[in-house]
């Protein structure tokens, strides 16, 4: 029998206290990693946009997109509100709601529309602007409402030959209310695959 030329390694004769110390260190690393995770992409509004009040001091609710008749041709499939966020986009002190909506296709990546909803004096919410038309065949990756502006990452296709499952273009876009309409500003094409 040959004896090893190396000294005994500490982990070959570990005692229960070593295993407990290792488990505690690993638990600490996992907990720290959980705290340092990046935020997920969500539709958000700033605190000032969420605190809009009515003239009587009560909070003015943002329009609820549930039950709104969106201008989409979905047939019997119906529509899905994928995401929505409130914000005072026109500076009138009442929040609007921006909604990302697509046909309820069940699978695949149906094109989406981005719509601005408003409600006046207790009336039902209604669509007042279309920022992205589903006819443009874009899907929405990231979406936010902040500081009176709407921003989104739009995914699209460079040609009809590109499979509809796999968008090959990405574009940053934002919209801001200017007088009587939303004005779009577009970033450069972020990536083309």
């Amino acid at each position: 029998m040959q004896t090893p030329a190396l000294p005994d390694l500490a982990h070959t004769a570990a005692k229960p206290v070593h295993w407990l110390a290792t488990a505690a260190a690993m638990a600490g690393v996992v907990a720290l990693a959980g705290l340092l995770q990046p935020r997920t992409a969500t539709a958000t509004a700033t605190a000032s946009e969420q605190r809009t009040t009515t003239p009587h001091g009560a909070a003015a609710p943002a329009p609820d997109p549930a039950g709104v008749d969106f201008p989409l041709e979905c047939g019997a499939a119906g529509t899905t509100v994928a995401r929505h966020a409130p914000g005072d986009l026109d500076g009138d002190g009442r929040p609007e709601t921006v909604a990302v909506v697509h046909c309820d296709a069940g699978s695949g990546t149906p094109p989406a529309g981005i719509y601005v909803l408003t409600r006046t004096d207790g009336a039902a919410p209604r669509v007042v602007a279309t920022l992205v038309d589903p006819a443009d065949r874009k899907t929405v990756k990231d979406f936010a409402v902040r500081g009176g502006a709407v921003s989104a990452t739009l995914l699209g296709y460079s040609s009809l030959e590109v499979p509809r499952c796999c968008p090959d273009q990405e574009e940053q876009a934002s919209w801001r209310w200017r007088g009587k309409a939303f004005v779009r500003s577009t970033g450069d094409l972020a990536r083309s695959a």
Side-chain angles (χ1 to χ4, degrees), residues 93-188:
R94 287 188 270 181
E96 288 76 34
T97 296
V98 182
V100 177
V101 184
H102 59 78
C103 291
D104 188 12
S107 64
T109 54
I114 300 179
Y115 302 99
V116 178
L117 309 175
T118 191
R119 175 185 19 229
T120 54
D121 301 325
R126 62 188 174 87
V127 175
V128 293
T130 300
L131 303 180
V132 173
D133 190 326
D136 296 337
R137 306 188 96 29
K138 304 279 186 183
T139 56
V140 179
K141 180 177 169 186
D142 295 320
F143 161 74
V145 176
R146 287 188 194 97
V150 178
S151 62
T153 302
L154 307 175
L155 303 178
Y157 306 92
S158 60
S159 71
L160 293 175
E161 286 76 38
V162 176
R164 295 299 130 196
C165 67
C166 312
D168 65 339
Q169 292 186 328
E170 183 176 294
E171 170 184 16
Q172 303 298 318
S174 63
W175 298 264
R176 188 171 289 277
W177 181 256
R178 299 281 187 231
K180 297 185 180 210
F182 284 96
V183 176
R184 178 179 174 170
S185 60
T186 305
D188 294 333

Side-chain angles (χ1 to χ4, degrees), residues 6-89:
L6 297 174
D8 286 337
L9 300 175
H11 70 277
T12 61
K15 296 184 170 94
V17 72
H18 293 121
W19 290 110
L20 287 173
T22 301
M26 289 302 295
V29 168
V30 170
L32 184 61
L35 293 173
L36 298 178
Q37 289 293 318
R39 292 177 40 198
T40 58
T42 58
T44 58
T46 63
S48 64
E49 290 168 330
Q50 293 174 350
R51 284 190 300 242
T52 306
T53 58
T54 64
H56 305 291
D64 184 0
V68 172
D69 187 23
F70 292 99
L72 277 126
E73 301 285 332
C74 296
T79 59
T80 296
V81 177
R83 290 172 271 182
H84 63 90
D88 184 5
L89 302 174

